[in-house]
Amino acid sequence: MQPLERTKKYTNGASSRAAILDAAVISFGLRGYYGTSLQKIANSVGMTKAGVLHHVGSKEGLLNIVLDEVYDTGTSQIITRFSMTEKPLLAHMWRDVVAFNSKRPEQVHMFSTLDAEAIDPKHPAYQYFLDRDRNVIDSMLKVPWAVPDGVNIEQLLNAGFSMMDGIQLRWLRNPGSDLNELWAHCEDQLMPLPMWDGYR
């Protein structure tokens, strides 16, 4: 992972807000919410703390933005795309999510760190993660997934996303590992052949 100090290096034309969010993603990943300082983020992007607050409102506001806007937008778009497909395949959706996440390790690091930290009910992201777990499953249960007869889709979704959370941690711990390959092994267990022939 990049040290926070490296977030000073942006291409010409990058907005102050984008620089702040990039710096926050790295800091929340490395230090968690409690270990992140708005002043350090301000220093890293060459702004004052007041300037950072102008863009994000507060430290908690910054947390909400990086979770809702930065992290969730991409995966939500993938799920929406599959929801508009006739008889979509869960295996294809998960592969697309994994491929997307494999290209953004800093954001996955941030998400994983905050998810663990927010086990504490007093954490400002506690309700976000509690609601997210349920909302993701509820939204996906509305999609007409093509699955073999007898498959409990809700149980499959819960198991699949739990596996995904776990392999992302292993991927982050082992630089150079391939998230897509790690997921392929999970897929073999989650959706075994020949039962899933034609559904993968």
Side-chain angles (χ1 to χ4, degrees):
M1 298 300 161
Q2 293 179 326
L4 181 59
E5 289 69 26
R6 289 188 61 185
T7 61
K8 290 181 180 180
K9 298 179 181 179
Y10 288 90
T11 58
N12 290 334
S15 70
S16 297
R17 186 174 187 273
I20 292 166
L21 298 185
D22 285 348
V25 165
I26 294 172
S27 186
F28 285 143
L30 293 173
R31 302 176 178 88
Y33 177 79
Y34 296 119
T36 291
S37 156
L38 287 181
Q39 186 61 60
K40 287 183 179 179
I41 289 176
N43 293 344
S44 75
V45 296
M47 297 179 65
T48 63
K49 182 178 177 180
V52 171
L53 288 170
H54 170 74
H55 288 283
V56 301
S58 64
K59 182 179 173 182
E60 190 168 336
L62 177 60
L63 176 69
N64 293 333
I65 291 170
V66 295
L67 287 171
D68 292 331
E69 181 180 321
V70 177
Y71 190 82
D72 277 338
T73 299
T75 49
S76 294
Q77 290 173 347
I78 292 171
I79 294 170
T80 298
R81 172 164 53 83
F82 276 91
S83 72
M84 299 171 68
T85 303
E86 185 177 356
K87 295 184 178 179
L89 300 181
L90 273 168
H92 292 179
M93 181 277 298
W94 269 322
R95 287 175 203 162
D96 283 1
V97 170
V98 169
F100 178 67
N101 283 346
S102 71
K103 298 174 183 176
R104 55 173 191 164
E106 291 87 0
Q107 292 184 21
V108 175
H109 189 187
M110 174 200 73
F111 182 86
S112 300
T113 298
L114 292 173
D115 192 8
E117 191 180 55
I119 290 173
D120 177 5
K122 296 179 182 178
H123 192 282
Y126 174 79
Q127 196 63 46
Y128 162 85
F129 283 102
L130 193 65
D131 292 342
R132 187 181 190 278
D133 288 344
R134 185 67 258 168
N135 291 341
V136 168
I137 300 299
D138 286 347
S139 65
M140 294 189 69
L141 286 173
K142 297 175 184 177
V143 179
W145 302 105
V147 299
D149 291 340
V151 169
N152 185 312
I153 296 180
E154 184 171 5
Q155 290 180 1
L156 180 70
L157 289 168
N158 277 303
F161 282 115
S162 295
M163 281 186 175
M164 190 174 295
D165 288 344
I167 64 160
Q168 286 180 166
L169 289 176
R170 292 193 175 192
W171 172 58
L172 293 169
R173 284 195 200 101
N174 295 278
S177 60
D178 185 337
L179 183 60
N180 297 284
E181 183 178 336
L182 291 170
W183 175 253
H185 296 309
C186 291
E187 186 177 294
D188 287 339
Q189 301 303 313
L190 192 66
M191 293 171 278
L193 300 174
M195 178 182 177
W196 281 81
D197 274 334
Y199 296 95
R200 288 176 50 180

